[in-house]
DNA sequence: GACAGATAGTCTCCTTTTTAGACTAGATCG
DNA sequence: CGATCTAGTCTAAAAAGGAGACTATCTGTC
């Protein structure tokens, strides 16, 4: 059964949201769109180690959930632009708090990893 | 080559942290430990649809990174308790902001999903 | 005119990850 | 004696993900 059509198992709304953005790529994609709208291949290059397939799927999910908008320009070669919606922008506020935390604490995490290794 | 020993590809510290907590289960596990320390099977039941193996691996990572502590009581049957460290607690501050956002906005997301379906 | 690019994806294999479920040890309970 | 409890690990089978080929159409080069 495809995950796309599954309802989250628990009533908890957090779970419903986390199930979508709590994957390998969604946060990264949203962050990449933070400053400006971007095209598919641009995102591909910027994120670096994501595959076309996963980027495609991730963007589709984010669009479904209203975080980003997708605009197709009927040109050749095709041009498609992805941009944060208002919902997406508002999401980045708490998201940035999380990123800030990561910035301040990555040293502590690294040293925890080292401590763990030597133990 | 095992992912456990990989360095994150990009220099960006955010990426390094996101690579660890930005998976299917880490955020969920941390949230489950928010209110009180819990045992393995307790977490298993609370999260619901995680497998033993993934819970085990997730907890190991979180312990490695210093987010949680693992205490084994030499009893039979065994008892193991997982608890947030100070680092883990401090992480939950921005995390709660994210959860709050999810609470406030899950309705908007749901309606975006419906809109997408009908379109 | 022929030919290489460029774009946004999708499709097909093939590898990696995740799952479900069996299995373990040693104390306690009936 | 046999069932039950716990925290995992192990294995086989299923699912997800990655690499790269492929598409259609226009532009630019030769």
């Amino acid at each position: 059964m495809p995950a796309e059509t599954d309802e989250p198992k628990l009533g908890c709304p957090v779970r419903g949201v986390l199930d979508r953005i709590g994957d390998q790529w969604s946060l990264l994609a949203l962050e990449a769109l933070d400053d400006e709208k971007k095209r598919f291949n641009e995102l591909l290059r910027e994120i670096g180690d994501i595959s076309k397939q996963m980027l495609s799927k991730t963007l589709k999910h984010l669009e479904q959930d209203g975080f980003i908008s997708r605009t197709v320009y009927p040109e050749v070669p095709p041009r498609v632009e992805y941009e944060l919606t208002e919902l997406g922008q508002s999401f980045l506020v708490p998201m940035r708090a999380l990123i800030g935390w990561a910035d301040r604490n990555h040293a502590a995490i690294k040293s925890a990893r080292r401590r763990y290794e030597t133990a």
Side-chain angles (χ1 to χ4, degrees), chain A:
Chain A
M1 96 185 106
E4 276 75 2
T5 61
D6 268 0
E7 286 292 318
K9 284 89 191 168
L10 311 171
C12 172
V14 178
R15 180 58 183 273
V17 177
L18 247 44
D19 273 350
R20 281 300 177 88
I21 57 153
D23 64 68
Q24 189 72 204
W25 303 115
S26 295
L27 293 178
L28 241 28
L30 287 172
E31 209 212 334
L33 287 171
D34 188 357
D35 44 338
E36 51 184 339
K37 61 185 168 191
K38 302 218 170 92
R39 306 175 59 170
F40 187 86
N41 279 345
E42 229 168 333
L43 288 167
L44 207 56
R45 279 189 295 273
E46 187 158 324
I47 299 179
D49 51 355
I50 190 174
S51 68
K52 292 157 175 247
Q53 200 173 55
M54 281 314 288
L55 180 58
S56 176
K57 187 190 275 190
T58 300
L59 292 172
K60 207 169 285 175
H61 280 160
L62 291 175
E63 191 198 353
Q64 275 176 18
D65 289 1
F67 286 92
I68 63 176
S69 66
R70 177 175 179 276
T71 312
V72 182
Y73 297 85
E75 306 170 355
V76 170
R79 181 158 60 99
V80 179
E81 287 184 344
Y82 294 91
E83 187 172 13
L84 290 178
T85 60
E86 237 174 87
L87 188 69
Q89 303 261 9
S90 86
F91 172 77
L92 279 185
V93 176
M95 176 67 194
R96 266 190 286 267
L98 207 77
I99 291 175
W101 184 94
D103 269 334
R104 287 190 301 280
N105 292 93
H106 72 276
I109 292 174
K110 268 181 141 172
S111 87
R113 279 182 202 167
R114 267 195 305 279
R115 233 176 297 125
Y116 190 95
E117 272 166 27
T118 59

